[in-house]
Amino acid sequence: MSEAAAHAIDHHEPETSTGIPNKKVLMWAFLGSDCMFFGTLISTHLIYRKISATVGGNFLDIREIFDIELTSFSTFILLASSLFMALAVSAIHKGNLTSTRWMLFGTIVFGAIFLGCQVYEFTHFVHAAGNELTLSSYRGEPHVFGSTFYVLTGTHGTHVAIGVFWLIGWLIYSFTGKMSTADAMDIECCGLYWHFVDIVWILIFPVVYLMEYAF
Amino acid sequence: MSTESLKYLNPESQTDLKTKVFPRPGQNTTGVINWLTTIDHKKIGVMYGMAALFFLILGGVEALLIRSQLWNHNMDILSNREYNQMFTMHGTTMVFLVIMPLSAAFFNFIMPLQIGARDVAFPRINTLSLWCFIAGGLILNLSWICTGGSPAIGWFGYAPLTDTRFAEVLGDMGPDFWIFSLQILGLASLLASFNFITTIINMRAPGMTMMRLPVFTWMTLIVSFLIILAFPAITIALVELMFDRTYGTNFYDFLEGGKPHLWQHLFWIFGHPEVYILILPAMGIISEIIPVFSRKPLFGYGLIIFSGAIIGFMGFAVWSHHMFTTGMGIVATSAFSILTMLIAIPTGVKIFNWIGTMWGGRIRFDTPMLFALGFITMFMVGGFTGIMHSSVPIDAQHQDSYFVVAHFHYVLIGGALFGLFAGFYFWLPKLTGKILSEKLGKFVFTLMFLGFNLTFFPMHYLGMIGQPRRTHSYNEGHGFETWNQIATVGAFILGVGIAVGVYQFVTAAFNKKLKPAGKNPWDARTLEWTLSSPVKEYNFARTPIIKSRDQAWENNYGDKDKHSEKEPLGDHGVHMPDRSWCPLISGIGLFVFVLGMLFRKTIEVSDNFLATPYEVAIGGCSVFILGIIMWSLEGPGGYHLFPKENEE
Ligand code: HEM
Ligand SMILES: [Cu+2]
């Protein structure tokens, strides 16, 4: 097995100067760049959080609409999905197709639950009776919190959604009979992305949610 | 867990299977399809270059209109608004559609040849960046025909000039075109940079250690890192602005709680690294040229690279020198002032390296060298004025005056553009296989050097006596007229020089009168000069094994043990990747998507003939996704070539 696999990988991934596959270097470079994307968004949120708490006397206490239990739950789910992802990568490396499939499936389901929670949260906030928080307003008056909050968490959600679609692509591919250990590297890159998106959430959760209860 | 083991397909049949998904043009395709589906880094470089030269002419015409308007006091060639549109489009075009893509053209064409690679790491992604760049250029210029005309917000689009309230009054859609085109151009730069980073880190020929990389390749690497770390700031700033303009968020809307000041920070966090993104490639180019024409190795190779890296690193810590007059407070202002002064040190180090290289050398004054010398001198003038701005009280006088205009044109034309022109004269023989006319080249240099100094030197003085930047007209009695007229005359001379130069480059490939260049017309030093001119499509028939830093030079003059060797060809021959339609399809999808988003907004503002709600955008997005799916299904593909034993 290992010989055949080595051959297949050889053909796709020519030897590189560092020994690290090209796709992995590309993925790391992208993640470095993505750090800056989220860095900018998170800074925007932090800058506005205090200086724009009150716009035209319209004071916003976000704790009145946050549902911290729900968000803690979805945070946990997203973390757990990372475990599935890691197992999927390890399964494909071992050449275990069935297990790869199940682990991919698990990651997708947990990712989808997280997205579901986010959609619920967004609709809930927008329609919160008496406390409506929209992109541009709070309680019907202009406000900035909604702008930074939705765009930041929405960008993260978009990342998760792209990851879910990517994983669904692999799941479908696993049924075509073409999947082999030669794909392990590609799935590993997918995994890198997934873990990164998780880590970003681990940053967003305390900075955007928990901090509102502390400072 | 059950352990159903996987079936392995033999690699050959796998490629067959994958290429069947979508027909790919064969290896012998010619004509337009050849250019549309190519994934060859050299052709992509050529297309980048051609498009950028076109935009150079376009941006130049805009500049000449600006200069004509300022010929005399209270002129009326352009209206107020047209004038604002003109300098906005001029700045945006020159930065994003000329200097950056010209640098990208050189990265594409030269860098893989310098490291001994057959192509970049991801040839199809490279093609997609090209199409994104073209799409971005088209979208920006489509704004001329949109409701309200082109953006009139300056190349930095300061809030609140981008406020939607102007759209309500003036039907001003320009900023939307500006936002989307910058966004798509940013995508192009990001994709290209990921690719170049991977290529340089991973695709070096055996023996090509990092400290043997040619300086130009090093600068490519540093610039690519700058791009992937700096562009996110503006991408997010633009996303926020797009949300402001499209969905009513309040990021930069002062009346609703936003802070326009934030835009300035985000823009310049990108903007200052951006100026190094513009200048470092040119510095790389002249670091290649000066040793060749001085017939000496580069003086202080390590130091040049190290200072390039330091410049890149510190470039992220000086952005607020563009905001000294916004009142950031004493601590912040002083810190940024000191850092700005410090960043001039590594810049100065490089200048001394170049001088040290020339010192005691046998200097030949061919056109590339003339442009390189022009670079050093003119860039120094720009550098000195830069250091002057770094002092806060002095900058309070300079800010928004013509003095700043003089500063950045000295670094951008005298620096970046001269460097890029030097690169053209130096490397076009490698591309076309022909030597350019030295006479015409020197004529171009003379016109450009003269015209440039006539245009921009008086601006220092104009700024000092108080002519503001971005002003449509000035009144009589300030004494501005004479120097403005000199500047305008100079601008036309510069324009003619550039036009002749562009004509010379574009016609070089077809000009039958030019002499063949041979492998190494300049007796140059780096690896690309060991190849035949024009370079074969597979670059290196057999992968070179690198033994030293200036490999071409060592092969000709060095000891035997420093000569490069060649890897055997192997039974597989040269593996070449297949052409592909997918990058073009994805690019078109993205283009249509953006048009859909824009025209959807246009109808809200006025009754435009294109009544398109989201359908067009969704259609474009689907085409894009389809392109990506086909892309991943078709796989890299490939075929094998068998060059003859002695071919290079
Ligand atoms: C010695 C190094 C440099 C220093 C210390 C420096 C410093 C400065 C400062 C302080 C300003 C702000 C002036 C103002 O608006 O009041 C400025 C503006 C500018 N610089 Fe430089 N600079 C340097 C090199 C460069 C280089 C290499 C480039 C580009 C290739 C460049 C491009 C620009 C541009 C485009 C602006 C104007 C931006 C705008 O307001 O539109 N500078 N520079
Ligand atoms: Cu700057």
Side-chain angles (χ1 to χ4, degrees), chain A residues 1 7 16-18 20 22 25-26 30 33 36-37 44 48 52 95-99 135-136 143-144 147 181, chain B residues 1-2 4 6 8 11 194 198 201-204 228-229 232 235-236 240 248-251 257 259 262 266:
Chain A
M1 170 195 137
H7 189 88
T16 63
S17 314
T18 53
I20 308 168
N22 283 343
V25 176
L26 180 92
F30 166 73
S33 184
M36 300 302 283
F37 279 98
T44 306
Y48 276 138
S52 297
N96 185 336
L97 186 61
T98 323
S99 165
L135 269 173
S136 54
H143 215 287
V144 191
S147 307
T181 40
Chain B
M1 271 182 217
S2 82
E4 178 190 334
L6 297 170
Y8 299 110
F194 296 140
T198 314
I201 291 185
N202 254 357
M203 310 269 290
R204 285 167 284 130
I228 68 167
L229 298 175
T235 306
I236 293 301
E240 292 172 350
T249 51
N250 304 324
F251 287 104
K259 303 271 179 245
L262 178 69
L266 293 185

Side-chain angles (χ1 to χ4, degrees), chain A residues 110-124:
Chain A
F110 274 36
I113 296 178
F114 176 83
L115 284 176
C117 290
Q118 198 169 35
V119 171
Y120 171 81
E121 183 188 43
F122 280 14
T123 19
H124 186 72

Side-chain angles (χ1 to χ4, degrees), chain B residues 316-328:
Chain B
F316 281 96
V318 296
W319 78 87
S320 287
H321 64 213
H322 296 273
M323 303 165 60
F324 281 153
T325 53
T326 56
M328 293 176 296

Side-chain angles (χ1 to χ4, degrees), chain B residues 155-156 268 272 275-276 278-279 321-322 324 340-341 343-344 347 379 382-384 386-387 389-390 395 398-400 404 407-408 411-412 416 469-470:
Chain B
W155 82 283
F156 37 54
W268 290 117
H272 192 84
V275 308
Y276 291 109
L278 298 171
I279 199 70
H321 64 213
H322 296 273
F324 281 153
T340 305
M341 291 173 189
I343 205 169
T347 316
F379 178 76
F384 293 146
I387 300 173
H389 308 316
S390 66
D395 184 65
H398 292 171
Q399 174 98 75
D400 271 343
V404 173
H407 159 68
F408 65 72
V411 283
L412 285 173
R469 212 182 143 178
R470 302 184 213 99

Side-chain angles (χ1 to χ4, degrees), chain B residues 267-285:
Chain B
F267 184 87
W268 290 117
I269 287 174
F270 149 79
H272 192 84
E274 169 72 12
V275 308
Y276 291 109
I277 292 169
L278 298 171
I279 199 70
L280 288 177
M283 290 182 164
I285 291 173

Side-chain angles (χ1 to χ4, degrees), chain B residues 77-105:
Chain B
I77 294 177
L78 299 170
S79 71
N80 270 317
R81 192 170 158 77
E82 281 161 359
Y83 183 84
N84 294 353
Q85 291 172 330
M86 217 51 86
F87 72 67
T88 304
M89 291 297 279
H90 166 71
T92 312
T93 302
M94 288 304 192
V95 169
F96 294 101
L97 301 180
V98 180
I99 307 280
M100 284 186 75
L102 278 183
S103 307

